[in-house]
Structure formats: C-alpha cells, structure tokens
Amino acid sequence: MPRLLSPSQGWLFSPGVDLSVFAGSALVSVAFVFAAPWLGAVGDTPLWAWVLFVVCVDVAHVWSTLFRTYLDTAELRRRPGLYLGAPLAAYVAGVSAYLVSSRAFWTLFAYVALTHFVRQQYGWVALYGRKARASTFERRLDAAAIYAATLGPAVWWHANLPRDFWWFVEGDFLSGLPRGAGSVALAVHAVVLAAWVAFQARRVARGEGVQVGKVLLVVATWVAWFGGIVLAQDDFAFTVMNVVLHGVPYFALLFRYARGRRAEGRYGVGGLLLRAGLPGFLLFLIVLALLEEGLWDWLVWHEKAPLFGVATVDLPEDVLALVVPLLALPQATHYVLDAFIWKPGREPALLNRLGWTSAAGAGAPEGPPSSTLPLSTMAIPGGSE
C-alpha cells in the first residue's frame, strides 16, 4: 500500500500548530465567506468584521514585530542603527511619495504590501523544504507552486480592474493590463500547480509519502488567493481571505520567538508583557492596533464614527503629506525590519529561541549553518491593512 505520509515531516512548530495556523486559517476564511449572507456581510465589510479581521488580525500582526525588536532592550543595544534607521528611511520614502501625489503613495504602498504577502508564503514553504531535507528540484517546484498560487491571481486581478475591492484604497493598483494577460496568467498558474500535484502523487506512488504541513500550506495559499481575488465578489470576501492566512501564522511565529527569548532572561518590556501568556500577548497588540486605527479615522478617513466617534479634524493636503506616512510608519517599519530580523546566520541564537534547535543542535533545520530563515527576506516584505 502506498505511503501517504513522508517519514520526515519537518513540522515548523508542531503538527497541531502547523495544521491550525495554515489549514485552519484557510478553513476559517472559507467558512466566513460562505456564511456571509447569514452574517449580513455581503458587499462592504461590516464594522464587526473590520474590527475582527483588519484590526485584530492584520494591524495587530504588524505590531507583533515589537516583540522581536523594540521591546527587547538587549536587541536595541545590539543594532541601534537598524532600529533608528528603518523607521526614518520608511518615513522619508513615504513623505517623498506622497508629495508626488496621494495616489503615488498608496500605489507604492500597495505593491510593497503585495510583495510582502507573496514572499511570506514563499518563506514558509521554503522553510518546510529545508527542514525536510527536500531535494533542490522539489524545493524549486514548491517555490514555483507558491508563486503560481499567488502571482497568477494577482496578475489576473490587474487585468480585470476595476473590481469591487482594492488593496488599500480605490485605484491603488495600476490598470491597463490587457484582459488576455489575466487569462494567460491563470493558465500558467494551473499548469504549474498541476505539475506540483503530479509530483506529490508520484511521491505517494513510490512510497515516499508527502509532507503534510507543506502540502496543506500550498493548498491553503491557493484557496486564499484564488478564492479571495478571482472568485471574490465583494470587499468582505477579499478581506477575510486576504488577512487571516497572512496574520495568524505570523502571530504563532512571534509568540514562539518571544517565549523563547523570555526564557533566556533580560528580555525587558517584552518579558513583562508575556507574564500573561498568549492572552496578554494578543490583548497588548489589539490595543495598539485600535489606537492606530483610531488615529487613522480621526485624522484621515472619518468612516468609523460608531467605533471611534465623530471626527471633526480636516487636514489640508500638505499636512496629510506628513501625517499619512507617519500613521503608516508602524506597517512600513514592519516591512523593512522583516528583511533583517529573521537571519540566523547573523544571530545563531535565533533558531534556539524559535525552538528549532536544542542546546546540542538536535532538530535544527537542515542546510548550511550560514543559511537564512526565508521568512519575508526581501528588503520590503510587506503587509496589508
């Protein structure tokens, strides 16, 4: 009888956590989309869903980077230039773009976000391959599958503008791509994914089995991107499919790291916040996310009066050129820092804190010691709000 499971699973966290944060996230997203008519969530995202998915997942996951960076006094002393320079560079770039036009700012921000979302999914699948000692061919095929699952729908989206939803604001993505390019993109994406499925079936037929976590990650990525972009008919479906699979695994990564860092001692403020465990970790992030979104609404959007009250501030455009990039700074800094803070080649203790090595080195991810964690390792990995 063919073997269904690979002898070397190489779970990133544990079977339960991996299945929950990847497959579970996709299932929850799909369930909410199917339940939308009964939830009164067809069309625009209702306020309760915006709070749950945008504030409590998307914006809060951005703030979770604090536990890897600014809440750790030892980390701040280790690389002060990075932690001062990253927000400064992001703010200067944001103001410069906004001075060109507000649309230029949001277009730049949208593509940075899109890049981050794609690269984060690649990072997870690449780490699965590294931990399971996958062959070079298999790792390349896995990467092709992830890029097909994400970029295929993204290109199709560009070829079918306008849609009933946008990444940040209306008109942020550039239009003008021929519709035929979208069809070609989906055809290529189908061929690549079919080849990946055939390879997994071949592994089973040869008795090698499949790496369950990785397979479910690729499937979940395709479900979220194809369902959230190509099949989605409204902003609610796009929002739910877009943010859950992106934010929930990142929470798991940061909480795992913070817990490992606290065990070393001298963690600073991060250690104090973790005394309340996962509930305290999440509550702290949600409070920060609500404060951020309150400022956005009071100063810029004026759309969430039932939650934040009626805003009377009406800033002129030249002031907005300074305020909008400032409000976007937590997210922009998150993008930039992600290019530097997940590289164990420069910080060997990182893998221990994540629980991927032991004192004796057992259980370490396979690959050369100088290799980097491929989680959002582009210069501007990105997120969405």
Side-chain angles (χ1 to χ4, degrees), residues 172-245:
D172 50 13
F173 279 156
L174 299 175
S175 60
L177 193 66
R179 285 186 176 267
S183 300
V184 171
L186 288 188
V188 172
H189 121 288
V191 170
V192 173
L193 289 173
W196 180 83
V197 170
F199 180 82
Q200 304 306 317
R202 181 171 176 268
R203 283 185 59 95
V204 172
R206 293 176 60 178
E208 298 172 355
V210 296
Q211 194 177 0
V212 175
K214 179 187 73 176
V215 169
L216 290 177
L217 167 66
V218 174
V219 172
T221 300
W222 179 79
V223 168
W225 286 71
F226 191 85
I229 294 175
V230 179
L231 299 182
Q233 299 298 317
D234 55 35
D235 182 71
F236 175 75
F238 168 69
T239 299
V240 173
M241 303 295 281
N242 186 34
V243 304
V244 176
L245 183 62

Side-chain angles (χ1 to χ4, degrees), residues 147-340:
Y147 284 128
T150 54
L151 294 180
V155 173
W156 182 91
W157 187 0
H158 280 71
N160 287 271
L161 291 172
R163 299 278 281 161
D164 290 332
F165 49 84
W166 299 92
W167 195 282
F168 286 122
V169 299
E170 184 174 352
D172 50 13
F173 279 156
L174 299 175
S175 60
L177 193 66
R179 285 186 176 267
S183 300
V184 171
L186 288 188
V188 172
H189 121 288
V191 170
V192 173
L193 289 173
W196 180 83
V197 170
F199 180 82
Q200 304 306 317
R202 181 171 176 268
R203 283 185 59 95
V204 172
R206 293 176 60 178
E208 298 172 355
V210 296
Q211 194 177 0
V212 175
K214 179 187 73 176
V215 169
L216 290 177
L217 167 66
V218 174
V219 172
T221 300
W222 179 79
V223 168
W225 286 71
F226 191 85
I229 294 175
V230 179
L231 299 182
Q233 299 298 317
D234 55 35
D235 182 71
F236 175 75
F238 168 69
T239 299
V240 173
M241 303 295 281
N242 186 34
V243 304
V244 176
L245 183 62
H246 181 73
V248 172
Y250 199 80
F251 282 138
L253 178 73
L254 265 296
F255 183 68
R256 178 93 167 221
Y257 171 86
R259 195 171 57 181
R261 175 66 184 88
R262 181 171 182 258
E264 296 177 356
R266 299 183 180 180
Y267 189 14
V269 178
L272 295 175
L273 292 170
L274 282 180
R275 289 182 178 179
L278 182 60
F281 172 83
L282 293 175
L283 180 60
F284 171 72
L285 299 176
I286 291 170
V287 169
L288 290 179
L290 281 169
L291 290 174
E292 178 191 335
E293 287 304 315
L295 289 173
W296 273 107
D297 200 68
W298 293 331
L299 300 177
V300 181
W301 302 129
H302 314 313
E303 295 175 346
K304 302 291 190 301
L307 182 63
F308 299 116
V310 177
T312 59
V313 179
D314 190 12
L315 300 177
E317 197 67 18
D318 55 345
V319 176
L320 286 174
L322 301 176
V323 171
V324 170
L326 184 62
L327 293 175
L329 196 55
Q331 192 170 347
T333 303
H334 162 76
Y335 299 165
V336 176
L337 290 181
D338 257 20
F340 300 94

Side-chain angles (χ1 to χ4, degrees), residues 8-34:
S8 176
Q9 282 298 317
W11 300 102
L12 298 188
F13 302 104
S14 68
V17 173
D18 284 28
L19 296 177
S20 298
V21 301
F22 295 123
S25 294
L27 288 174
V28 167
S29 300
V30 171
F32 268 99
V33 170
F34 277 120

Side-chain angles (χ1 to χ4, degrees), residues 355-370:
W356 291 335
T357 61
S358 65
E366 289 78 8
S370 61

